[in-house]
Amino acid sequence: MDAYGNLTTDDEFLTGRRIRLISYLDPDVAMGVTGDTDTGWSGVGVHRLSNGSPNETIFIAGVAAGSKSRMFYLAWGSDPNQALSMEGDSTGRLTLEPISQSIDGDPTYYPEFQAQWQNGPWFVLSAFGSSQVVDISESGTGENNPIIAFQANGGGNQTWRAQDVDFVPPAGGALANADTPAASAAPDPVKSGKPG
């Protein structure tokens, strides 16, 4: 974990930590739960932190029994019986899927994800076995804009950092704003065209 509470290794996703996924596009833009979809499951989209309701953006990262190496799930903090899924609804919006409970001693099923690290705390998030990544549709940062699965293209709309929501900075040290490029080691997406 860096000095600002951002996760920086795969192992930090495996501990049941409460996190918020912040977009590279704007430090006010987080992944959040946006209401029901045509599947009957809750949808996932942009949530602007300045609009309030920060609990809509908290996920619990952990590892399921029998999980592949470096794979983790993202359960919703307000209802850990639902987990982020790349399956999506008919429009492609990602959804929260009810977690399948164990039957006949089989492990409980969780959709699994992996972080593909880019630069410092920044990563691209994909599901196990998928060539698609978590993407803010059309790079739209407005409230409830869909978050979808899309082919990786290196865009800032596919780049995230995971912030530990329970992080307490060390006493006695003044930290710079973690949302500034210098503090988070993020390249300028306009200048570079893509992260890292």
Side-chain angles (χ1 to χ4, degrees):
M1 183 177 308
D2 70 13
Y4 309 100
N6 296 306
L7 280 55
T8 57
T9 68
D10 292 326
D11 290 342
E12 292 168 334
F13 280 100
L14 309 179
T15 62
R17 190 180 308 268
R18 293 175 354 117
I19 64 168
R20 179 173 289 125
L21 294 167
I22 307 290
S23 172
Y24 183 82
L25 296 175
D26 183 336
D28 189 44
V29 170
M31 179 185 296
V33 178
T34 60
D36 290 342
T37 66
D38 59 9
T39 64
W41 298 345
S42 296
V44 177
V46 166
H47 179 70
R48 297 200 67 89
L49 296 170
S50 59
N51 287 347
S53 301
N55 288 338
E56 299 302 309
T57 64
I58 296 175
F59 290 85
I60 301 167
V63 63
S67 177
K68 314 293 185 281
S69 174
R70 302 173 57 172
M71 304 301 291
F72 54 89
Y73 63 80
L74 294 167
W76 184 28
S78 293
D79 181 358
N81 292 313
Q82 298 183 68
L84 182 65
S85 172
M86 293 279 276
E87 287 187 34
D89 66 7
S90 64
T91 68
R93 178 186 295 263
L94 300 186
T95 59
L96 293 181
E97 178 179 320
I99 295 172
S100 301
Q101 297 303 314
S102 173
I103 299 174
D104 297 333
D106 292 335
T108 300
Y109 169 74
Y110 292 87
E112 293 182 309
F113 289 85
Q114 62 187 5
Q116 300 164 25
W117 296 96
Q118 304 295 308
N119 186 9
W122 299 101
F123 58 89
V124 174
L125 188 62
S126 63
F128 176 70
S130 175
S131 63
Q132 295 187 321
V133 300
V134 174
D135 174 288
I136 296 177
S137 182
E138 303 292 325
S139 297
T141 59
E143 186 74 13
N144 295 327
N145 187 63
I147 294 179
I148 62 174
F150 198 78
Q151 292 299 317
N153 60 31
N157 62 321
Q158 298 180 341
T159 306
W160 304 87
R161 66 182 165 91
Q163 182 180 57
D164 182 334
V165 298
D166 299 314
F167 175 74
V168 177
L175 294 176
N177 181 346
D179 296 326
T180 63
S184 60
D188 182 342
V190 175
K191 292 179 184 173
S192 69
K194 67 180 195 177

